[in-house]
Amino acid sequence: MQAQQHQQLVYLIHFDQPYYHARHYLGTTNDLEHRLRQHMSGCKYGGARLMEVIIQAGISWRVACTWVGGRELEKQLKARNN
């Protein structure tokens, strides 16, 4: 049996309060549920450093938006800078 292929997604996480200048996190994943579990755990291995400090600071967050696409779309969205 083959492993199920997941669609590449870009996701935007909105912080309920800013962490210094950061108000959002933008990432790419093949498995959104798994990636969000990594972020929720504040896991430094496989997670993102910004999300790790957000969790440590006790800041709540939510997924605000998702797009079908990969790293190229993530770069385009980051280039918009908001």
Side-chain angles (χ1 to χ4, degrees), residues 21-52:
H21 69 282
R23 295 176 185 205
H24 300 93
Y25 174 82
L26 190 66
T28 305
T29 186
N30 290 342
D31 186 343
L32 186 59
E33 289 90 21
H34 180 259
R35 190 69 174 132
L36 294 177
R37 281 193 304 275
Q38 287 179 314
H39 289 322
M40 283 184 237
S41 71
C43 153
K44 78 165 82 163
Y45 301 105
R49 177 68 181 141
L50 177 57
M51 292 304 296
E52 182 182 354

Short mmCIF file of all heavy atoms in Angstrom, two decimals, residues 21-52:
data_model
loop_
_atom_site.label_atom_id
_atom_site.label_comp_id
_atom_site.label_asym_id
_atom_site.label_seq_id
_atom_site.Cartn_x
_atom_site.Cartn_y
_atom_site.Cartn_z
N HIS A 21 7.62 42.69 16.11
CA HIS A 21 7.10 43.15 14.82
C HIS A 21 6.24 42.09 14.12
O HIS A 21 5.54 42.38 13.17
CB HIS A 21 8.26 43.54 13.90
CG HIS A 21 9.06 42.34 13.47
ND1 HIS A 21 9.98 41.76 14.30
CD2 HIS A 21 9.05 41.61 12.34
CE1 HIS A 21 10.52 40.71 13.68
NE2 HIS A 21 9.97 40.60 12.49
N ALA A 22 6.30 40.85 14.59
CA ALA A 22 5.64 39.74 13.89
C ALA A 22 4.17 39.62 14.26
O ALA A 22 3.82 39.59 15.45
CB ALA A 22 6.36 38.44 14.20
N ARG A 23 3.34 39.56 13.24
CA ARG A 23 1.90 39.37 13.45
C ARG A 23 1.39 38.12 12.76
O ARG A 23 0.27 37.69 13.01
CB ARG A 23 1.13 40.57 12.91
CG ARG A 23 1.45 41.82 13.66
CD ARG A 23 0.77 43.00 13.04
NE ARG A 23 1.21 44.18 13.76
CZ ARG A 23 0.52 45.29 13.83
NH1 ARG A 23 -0.63 45.37 13.23
NH2 ARG A 23 0.99 46.31 14.49
N HIS A 24 2.22 37.56 11.86
CA HIS A 24 1.82 36.40 11.07
C HIS A 24 3.00 35.46 10.87
O HIS A 24 4.15 35.87 11.00
CB HIS A 24 1.32 36.83 9.68
CG HIS A 24 0.16 37.74 9.72
ND1 HIS A 24 0.29 39.11 9.70
CD2 HIS A 24 -1.16 37.49 9.78
CE1 HIS A 24 -0.90 39.66 9.75
NE2 HIS A 24 -1.80 38.70 9.80
N TYR A 25 2.66 34.24 10.50
CA TYR A 25 3.65 33.28 10.06
C TYR A 25 3.13 32.67 8.77
O TYR A 25 1.96 32.28 8.70
CB TYR A 25 3.86 32.18 11.11
CG TYR A 25 4.78 31.09 10.63
CD1 TYR A 25 6.15 31.24 10.70
CD2 TYR A 25 4.26 29.92 10.09
CE1 TYR A 25 7.00 30.24 10.23
CE2 TYR A 25 5.10 28.92 9.62
CZ TYR A 25 6.46 29.09 9.70
OH TYR A 25 7.30 28.12 9.23
N LEU A 26 3.97 32.58 7.77
CA LEU A 26 3.59 32.00 6.48
C LEU A 26 4.48 30.79 6.23
O LEU A 26 5.71 30.89 6.36
CB LEU A 26 3.80 33.04 5.37
CG LEU A 26 3.25 32.73 4.00
CD1 LEU A 26 1.73 32.67 4.02
CD2 LEU A 26 3.71 33.79 3.01
N GLY A 27 3.86 29.66 5.91
CA GLY A 27 4.64 28.44 5.70
C GLY A 27 4.06 27.59 4.59
O GLY A 27 2.98 27.86 4.07
N THR A 28 4.80 26.54 4.24
CA THR A 28 4.40 25.59 3.21
C THR A 28 4.47 24.19 3.79
O THR A 28 5.37 23.89 4.58
CB THR A 28 5.36 25.66 2.01
OG1 THR A 28 5.43 27.00 1.55
CG2 THR A 28 4.91 24.76 0.88
N THR A 29 3.54 23.34 3.40
CA THR A 29 3.54 21.97 3.90
C THR A 29 2.81 21.04 2.94
O THR A 29 2.00 21.49 2.12
CB THR A 29 2.88 21.88 5.30
OG1 THR A 29 3.02 20.56 5.81
CG2 THR A 29 1.41 22.26 5.26
N ASN A 30 3.09 19.76 3.06
CA ASN A 30 2.35 18.71 2.36
C ASN A 30 1.27 18.11 3.26
O ASN A 30 0.41 17.39 2.79
CB ASN A 30 3.28 17.57 1.93
CG ASN A 30 4.21 17.97 0.83
OD1 ASN A 30 3.98 18.96 0.15
ND2 ASN A 30 5.26 17.21 0.65
N ASP A 31 1.38 18.36 4.57
CA ASP A 31 0.46 17.76 5.55
C ASP A 31 0.15 18.81 6.61
O ASP A 31 0.86 18.95 7.60
CB ASP A 31 1.12 16.52 6.16
CG ASP A 31 0.20 15.74 7.07
OD1 ASP A 31 -0.85 16.29 7.50
OD2 ASP A 31 0.52 14.58 7.37
N LEU A 32 -0.91 19.56 6.39
CA LEU A 32 -1.24 20.70 7.26
C LEU A 32 -1.50 20.27 8.70
O LEU A 32 -1.00 20.90 9.63
CB LEU A 32 -2.44 21.47 6.71
CG LEU A 32 -2.80 22.76 7.44
CD1 LEU A 32 -1.64 23.76 7.45
CD2 LEU A 32 -4.05 23.39 6.84
N GLU A 33 -2.26 19.20 8.90
CA GLU A 33 -2.55 18.77 10.28
C GLU A 33 -1.27 18.44 11.05
O GLU A 33 -1.11 18.84 12.20
CB GLU A 33 -3.50 17.56 10.30
CG GLU A 33 -4.91 17.88 9.88
CD GLU A 33 -5.13 17.72 8.38
OE1 GLU A 33 -4.34 17.00 7.72
OE2 GLU A 33 -6.06 18.33 7.85
N HIS A 34 -0.37 17.71 10.40
CA HIS A 34 0.89 17.36 11.05
C HIS A 34 1.72 18.61 11.36
O HIS A 34 2.28 18.76 12.44
CB HIS A 34 1.69 16.41 10.15
CG HIS A 34 3.00 16.00 10.74
ND1 HIS A 34 4.18 16.56 10.34
CD2 HIS A 34 3.30 15.11 11.70
CE1 HIS A 34 5.17 16.03 11.04
NE2 HIS A 34 4.67 15.15 11.87
N ARG A 35 1.77 19.52 10.40
CA ARG A 35 2.55 20.75 10.58
C ARG A 35 1.98 21.59 11.72
O ARG A 35 2.72 22.15 12.53
CB ARG A 35 2.56 21.54 9.27
CG ARG A 35 3.52 22.70 9.29
CD ARG A 35 4.96 22.20 9.30
NE ARG A 35 5.85 23.32 9.17
CZ ARG A 35 6.91 23.50 9.94
NH1 ARG A 35 7.23 22.64 10.87
NH2 ARG A 35 7.67 24.56 9.78
N LEU A 36 0.66 21.69 11.80
CA LEU A 36 0.05 22.46 12.88
C LEU A 36 0.30 21.82 14.24
O LEU A 36 0.53 22.52 15.23
CB LEU A 36 -1.46 22.63 12.64
CG LEU A 36 -1.81 23.47 11.42
CD1 LEU A 36 -3.32 23.52 11.23
CD2 LEU A 36 -1.22 24.87 11.49
N ARG A 37 0.31 20.49 14.29
CA ARG A 37 0.66 19.81 15.56
C ARG A 37 2.09 20.16 15.97
O ARG A 37 2.37 20.37 17.15
CB ARG A 37 0.48 18.30 15.44
CG ARG A 37 -0.95 17.84 15.55
CD ARG A 37 -1.06 16.33 15.75
NE ARG A 37 -0.40 15.55 14.71
CZ ARG A 37 -0.95 15.21 13.55
NH1 ARG A 37 -2.20 15.57 13.29
NH2 ARG A 37 -0.28 14.49 12.68
N GLN A 38 2.99 20.21 14.99
CA GLN A 38 4.37 20.60 15.30
C GLN A 38 4.39 22.02 15.87
O GLN A 38 5.08 22.28 16.86
CB GLN A 38 5.25 20.54 14.04
CG GLN A 38 5.59 19.15 13.60
CD GLN A 38 6.43 19.17 12.34
OE1 GLN A 38 6.13 19.89 11.39
NE2 GLN A 38 7.48 18.37 12.33
N HIS A 39 3.67 22.93 15.25
CA HIS A 39 3.64 24.31 15.73
C HIS A 39 3.02 24.38 17.13
O HIS A 39 3.52 25.08 18.01
CB HIS A 39 2.84 25.20 14.77
CG HIS A 39 3.51 25.47 13.47
ND1 HIS A 39 4.88 25.67 13.32
CD2 HIS A 39 3.00 25.58 12.22
CE1 HIS A 39 5.16 25.89 12.05
NE2 HIS A 39 4.04 25.84 11.36
N MET A 40 1.93 23.66 17.36
CA MET A 40 1.25 23.69 18.66
C MET A 40 2.15 23.20 19.79
O MET A 40 2.05 23.67 20.91
CB MET A 40 -0.02 22.84 18.62
CG MET A 40 -1.16 23.52 17.92
SD MET A 40 -2.64 22.49 18.02
CE MET A 40 -3.00 22.30 16.30
N SER A 41 3.01 22.25 19.47
CA SER A 41 3.88 21.70 20.50
C SER A 41 5.07 22.60 20.79
O SER A 41 5.79 22.38 21.75
CB SER A 41 4.37 20.31 20.09
OG SER A 41 5.30 20.41 19.03
N GLY A 42 5.26 23.63 19.95
CA GLY A 42 6.41 24.51 20.13
C GLY A 42 7.70 23.77 19.82
O GLY A 42 8.77 24.16 20.26
N CYS A 43 7.58 22.71 19.07
CA CYS A 43 8.68 21.81 18.77
C CYS A 43 9.77 22.50 17.95
O CYS A 43 9.49 23.05 16.89
CB CYS A 43 8.07 20.62 18.04
SG CYS A 43 9.05 19.72 16.91
N LYS A 44 10.98 22.51 18.46
CA LYS A 44 12.05 23.20 17.74
C LYS A 44 12.61 22.36 16.60
O LYS A 44 13.22 22.86 15.70
CB LYS A 44 13.14 23.70 18.66
CG LYS A 44 14.13 22.69 19.15
CD LYS A 44 15.36 23.33 19.77
CE LYS A 44 15.17 23.75 21.17
NZ LYS A 44 16.39 23.99 21.89
N TYR A 45 12.40 21.04 16.63
CA TYR A 45 12.86 20.19 15.54
C TYR A 45 11.65 19.88 14.67
O TYR A 45 10.75 19.18 15.08
CB TYR A 45 13.50 18.91 16.08
CG TYR A 45 14.68 19.22 16.96
CD1 TYR A 45 14.58 19.10 18.33
CD2 TYR A 45 15.86 19.69 16.41
CE1 TYR A 45 15.66 19.42 19.15
CE2 TYR A 45 16.94 20.02 17.22
CZ TYR A 45 16.83 19.88 18.58
OH TYR A 45 17.88 20.20 19.38
N GLY A 46 11.64 20.43 13.48
CA GLY A 46 10.52 20.23 12.59
C GLY A 46 9.51 21.37 12.69
O GLY A 46 8.62 21.47 11.89
N GLY A 47 9.66 22.22 13.69
CA GLY A 47 8.81 23.38 13.82
C GLY A 47 9.57 24.60 13.35
O GLY A 47 10.68 24.50 12.85
N ALA A 48 8.99 25.75 13.50
CA ALA A 48 9.64 26.99 13.11
C ALA A 48 10.02 27.76 14.37
O ALA A 48 9.27 27.76 15.34
CB ALA A 48 8.70 27.82 12.25
N ARG A 49 11.16 28.40 14.36
CA ARG A 49 11.64 29.14 15.54
C ARG A 49 10.63 30.20 15.97
O ARG A 49 10.36 30.35 17.17
CB ARG A 49 13.00 29.77 15.25
CG ARG A 49 13.53 30.62 16.38
CD ARG A 49 13.89 29.78 17.60
NE ARG A 49 14.38 30.67 18.65
CZ ARG A 49 14.10 30.52 19.93
NH1 ARG A 49 13.38 29.51 20.34
NH2 ARG A 49 14.57 31.36 20.81
N LEU A 50 10.05 30.94 15.04
CA LEU A 50 9.08 31.96 15.40
C LEU A 50 7.89 31.34 16.12
O LEU A 50 7.44 31.85 17.15
CB LEU A 50 8.60 32.73 14.17
CG LEU A 50 7.51 33.78 14.42
CD1 LEU A 50 7.96 34.82 15.45
CD2 LEU A 50 7.11 34.45 13.11
N MET A 51 7.39 30.22 15.63
CA MET A 51 6.25 29.56 16.28
C MET A 51 6.65 29.04 17.66
O MET A 51 5.85 29.06 18.59
CB MET A 51 5.71 28.44 15.40
CG MET A 51 5.06 28.94 14.12
SD MET A 51 3.73 30.14 14.38
CE MET A 51 2.53 29.14 15.27
N GLU A 52 7.88 28.60 17.80
CA GLU A 52 8.37 28.14 19.10
C GLU A 52 8.31 29.28 20.13
O GLU A 52 7.81 29.10 21.24
CB GLU A 52 9.81 27.62 18.96
CG GLU A 52 10.39 27.08 20.25
CD GLU A 52 11.83 26.63 20.10
OE1 GLU A 52 12.38 26.64 18.97
OE2 GLU A 52 12.42 26.28 21.13
#
